[in-house]
Amino acid sequence: MPEHMIEYIIIAFYILVIFNIGRIFKSFNKNSSDYFRGGARTVWWMLGASVWISSVSATVFTGTAGAIYEAGTPALVSNWAIIAAGFILALFLAAWFRQLRLITSVEVIRQRFGALTEQVYAYIGMVLNPCFGAFQLFGLSIFVSTVFGFPLHLVIVVLSVVIAIYAVAGGKWAIMATDFLQSLILVPISILVAVLALMKTGGFSGLMHQASEAGLLALARPEGAFLDGKYTWGWVAAVFVMGMVAQMQLNWSSRFFAAKDGREAKKAAWLMVGLFVVSTVVFSIPPLVARVLYAGQVEAVGAALSKPAEAAYVTVCQDLLPNGLMGLILMAMFAATVSSMDTSINANAAVIVRNVIPPLRRQLLKKEGLTPEQELTAGRITSLALVIYIASIALYLSGQDGKGIFELILGFSAAISFPIMLPMFLAVFFRRAPRSSALFSIVGGLVLPWIWIPLLRAMDVQMTYQLRVLVIGLSGSIGYFVGYAFARFDSPAAKAAIKEFYTRMHTPIDFEKEVGHANDVQQMETVGRLAMLVAGLMLLLLIVPNELWARGCVLALSASVALV
């Protein structure tokens, strides 16, 4: 059989299933609420898996794995931040976010900070959110290109076409259902890779001993070990703070809008936390094993990459996985990447259709907003345009030499995303801020560092990553609280709207009165049948030439999906 033929067949079957998921869930979409947030009828187990896997993409198996290979456990600080924030979300914030009773995150901004701030965030999001989607697509393309040896730019184009077909057709329902199905595959097969890797090092204790000798288990690395102060205690603290801010800000509250009510949102958050605890351990084992056992192979496999360490996870999988299972890994990574691109495609399309187009129609064409049917059509067209935009950015990145994906994401987050997220985080806890506070904070976070950083450099202060984050964070916070001085300019109606915003946030949802008919059984039946189909297709791998123990692995993976 030609090389990789088994993987090609598996991926072909998978793409057929994906296309059918989009077709099946297309019937779930009756209006824009269904298309953009699942009609606020999503059960907790599907939403929780979707929220988890939306933070997992192929960059975890390329960029983050490369950072773990390079520096060890300090590279996991983003996961620690998500877990810590996840507990707060599960205790109360997830319910508060769902009880806002909105469809898009920009609508949250409008009701809290007014129309001007809403439009500023809408236009910023139109430009910036696809950049993160491009990072995710680029990470997946690196993994696929490394496995099959295809040109990177060709892989980007092909993956973009597949993403466009299924994400544009099915909307939020298709994305969440695929997220859940792929979490059923990604979790057990990742555990399998971790177990096989541990067996190579003599078990968990053997890995810990070898990793400790290599200096990979320290919570932080000493000053000077890496450029720009990376992986030191200051760097760890800066990345942790940014991770916490990102998870608990109003701009990401839309992740829980699909839940039936606040109670279901809490349960979804608890599931997310549990999955993150498991995945943080499981995902980190293969790159650690790669560092202590496969260093030479990693350099050879990743020779074509700008950062060879990003081939660490691929190298372990290629060496240890039985025939055919690499195709399953690629399937799961594809779905995880598409889910993490949700903000860049589906949620961003929702913002454009509901918050950008209507004001433009009123101002330029003197027409009213779109009808529900027009919103649905516009949502699909906009989603397609966003996929093209994301693919273009990824193609640009593929032609650049230099930093790996891990550094690109962190650098972009600190310089651009952090100042934009900060006021949305502060607004959750500092509620008396006037509407102008968000704009003052953005200006402070984006503009003041251009003054402070040159001054610090002139004083011979080394501008490390953590110092940049500190300067940006302080500048943005100062701007937010400066806004309090302008509270008197808020009209009585604006002050009443802010008060009503927080009152609604704390008011529990009456699902039957506010949403109406539930479709829990339809969700369970549809996803359950699809899961059984996936489990059956996985059983076909038993006919692939493998040793008995490898066939047992295939059977166990199929059984785990079927059991759920």
Side-chain angles (χ1 to χ4, degrees):
M1 183 176 289
E3 187 181 11
H4 298 305
M5 181 57 69
I6 295 170
E7 283 78 12
Y8 296 151
I9 294 171
I10 292 171
I11 292 169
F13 270 110
Y14 167 72
I15 291 175
L16 288 174
V17 172
I18 285 292
F19 287 170
N20 276 285
I21 290 176
R23 180 183 58 80
I24 291 167
F25 281 93
K26 187 175 181 180
S27 63
F28 279 58
N29 297 317
K30 302 297 188 294
N31 51 49
S32 60
S33 175
D34 291 332
Y35 188 77
F36 293 130
R37 65 165 184 170
R41 292 180 171 86
T42 310
V43 289
W44 65 270
W45 47 266
M46 187 153 66
L47 179 61
S50 181
V51 172
W52 168 69
I53 211 169
S54 67
S55 297
V56 177
S57 72
T59 59
V60 170
F61 304 96
T62 51
T64 305
I68 295 171
Y69 175 91
E70 180 182 62
T73 52
L76 293 170
V77 63
S78 295
N79 291 52
W80 306 338
I82 293 174
I83 291 169
F87 278 101
I88 299 174
L89 285 165
L91 289 171
F92 55 90
L93 273 188
W96 289 2
F97 289 161
R98 171 60 187 95
Q99 287 162 191
L100 289 172
R101 298 163 169 84
L102 298 170
I103 295 178
T104 70
S105 58
V106 177
E107 289 173 349
V108 177
I109 297 169
R110 180 186 182 90
Q111 295 198 14
R112 175 57 185 85
F113 290 106
L116 176 60
T117 305
E118 172 212 30
Q119 291 298 298
V120 169
Y121 269 87
Y123 282 95
I124 289 175
M126 284 171 56
V127 177
L128 298 186
N129 287 336
C131 293
F132 281 107
F135 291 145
Q136 314 300 347
L137 177 59
F138 185 39
L140 176 62
S141 301
I142 287 175
F143 198 99
V144 174
S145 176
T146 304
V147 171
F148 294 114
F150 294 145
L152 187 56
H153 64 275
L154 177 63
V155 174
I156 291 172
V157 172
V158 172
L159 291 177
S160 298
V161 171
V162 176
I163 290 169
I165 292 173
Y166 116 89
V168 173
K172 189 71 172 178
W173 280 116
I175 289 172
M176 289 189 296
T178 307
D179 289 349
F180 182 78
L181 290 172
Q182 297 313 314
S183 68
L184 295 185
I185 298 173
L186 184 59
V187 171
I189 200 167
S190 299
I191 292 173
L192 174 62
V193 174
V195 170
L196 294 176
L198 285 174
M199 292 172 64
K200 293 285 286 188
T201 60
F204 190 76
S205 59
L207 174 61
M208 292 299 100
H209 175 70
Q210 295 179 62
S212 178
E213 287 189 340
L216 299 175
L217 299 185
L219 295 178
R221 304 303 292 270
E223 291 282 351
F226 293 89
L227 295 176
D228 200 25
K230 276 199 307 184
Y231 308 124
T232 61
W233 278 113
W235 183 92
V236 167
V239 176
F240 185 85
V241 168
M242 284 201 305
M244 292 281 287
V245 169
Q247 293 296 315
M248 298 192 295
Q249 47 131 352
L250 289 175
N251 218 13
W252 276 20
S253 59
S254 58
R255 293 178 299 168
F256 296 98
F257 289 173
K260 294 169 62 178
D261 53 29
R263 184 169 173 268
E264 292 278 304
K266 283 185 177 182
K267 291 163 70 175
W270 281 120
L271 177 59
M272 179 203 76
V273 171
L275 289 171
F276 252 108
V277 171
V278 173
S279 63
T280 296
V281 176
V282 169
F283 293 163
S284 64
I285 290 173
L288 290 175
V289 172
R291 174 63 183 275
V292 299
L293 294 182
Y294 294 91
Q297 278 182 257
V298 170
E299 294 297 321
V301 172
L305 303 178
S306 60
K307 189 172 183 180
E310 293 180 346
Y313 203 99
V314 180
T315 302
V316 173
C317 290
Q318 286 180 326
D319 187 67
L320 299 180
L321 280 178
N323 293 331
L325 293 192
M326 181 62 81
L328 292 181
I329 281 276
L330 290 168
M331 285 168 47
M333 287 186 185
F334 176 81
T337 301
V338 172
S339 177
S340 65
M341 291 170 66
D342 175 36
T343 300
S344 306
I345 301 174
N346 188 268
N348 213 25
V351 169
I352 294 170
V353 170
R354 294 182 60 86
N355 304 100
V356 174
I357 293 177
L360 290 177
R361 280 172 59 90
R362 286 192 291 268
Q363 293 174 15
L364 301 178
L365 303 177
K366 308 302 181 184
K367 293 183 178 180
E368 292 302 315
L370 302 173
T371 65
E373 293 76 16
Q374 289 174 325
E375 283 187 345
L376 190 57
T377 301
R380 291 188 173 123
I381 295 172
T382 305
S383 296
L384 178 59
L386 288 169
V387 172
I388 296 172
Y389 179 30
I390 289 167
S392 301
I393 298 173
L395 287 169
Y396 171 78
L397 293 174
S398 69
Q400 306 300 306
D401 291 327
K403 294 183 178 180
I405 302 172
F406 188 75
E407 288 81 5
L408 284 172
I409 293 176
L410 285 181
F412 186 84
S413 298
I416 306 297
S417 297
F418 188 42
I420 295 167
M421 296 185 299
L422 187 59
M424 296 300 111
F425 167 78
L426 294 173
V428 176
F429 303 101
F430 297 93
R431 303 181 176 185
R432 295 185 180 181
R435 287 187 162 183
S436 57
S437 283
L439 292 179
F440 276 110
S441 180
I442 292 174
V443 171
L446 292 176
V447 176
L448 289 182
W450 289 92
I451 300 173
W452 298 122
I453 291 176
L455 286 175
L456 291 171
R457 282 178 175 160
M459 298 167 61
D460 291 330
V461 176
Q462 183 184 3
M463 285 308 303
T464 60
Y465 179 86
Q466 49 269 30
L467 184 55
R468 291 191 190 95
V469 171
L470 178 62
V471 169
I472 292 169
L474 287 176
S475 300
S477 299
I478 290 171
Y480 186 85
F481 291 109
V482 164
Y484 276 72
F486 295 84
R488 62 182 182 276
F489 295 110
D490 275 0
S491 65
K495 293 177 181 178
I498 293 174
K499 183 177 179 180
E500 195 275 333
F501 177 87
Y502 290 108
T503 299
R504 185 172 65 252
M505 177 187 279
H506 293 286
T507 303
I509 290 171
D510 187 325
F511 179 79
E512 291 186 359
K513 289 183 178 179
E514 297 184 39
V515 181
H517 174 68
N519 59 359
D520 295 22
V521 174
Q522 187 181 7
Q523 291 179 60
M524 285 189 286
E525 287 180 345
T526 305
V527 176
R529 287 167 180 162
L530 288 168
M532 292 303 293
L533 172 63
V534 170
L537 292 174
M538 291 171 69
L539 280 179
L540 294 177
L541 291 174
L542 290 173
I543 66 176
V544 174
N546 267 314
E547 297 180 24
L548 183 60
W549 69 268
R551 295 176 189 270
C553 292
V554 172
L555 186 61
L557 290 172
S558 175
S560 69
V561 176
L563 180 63
V564 175

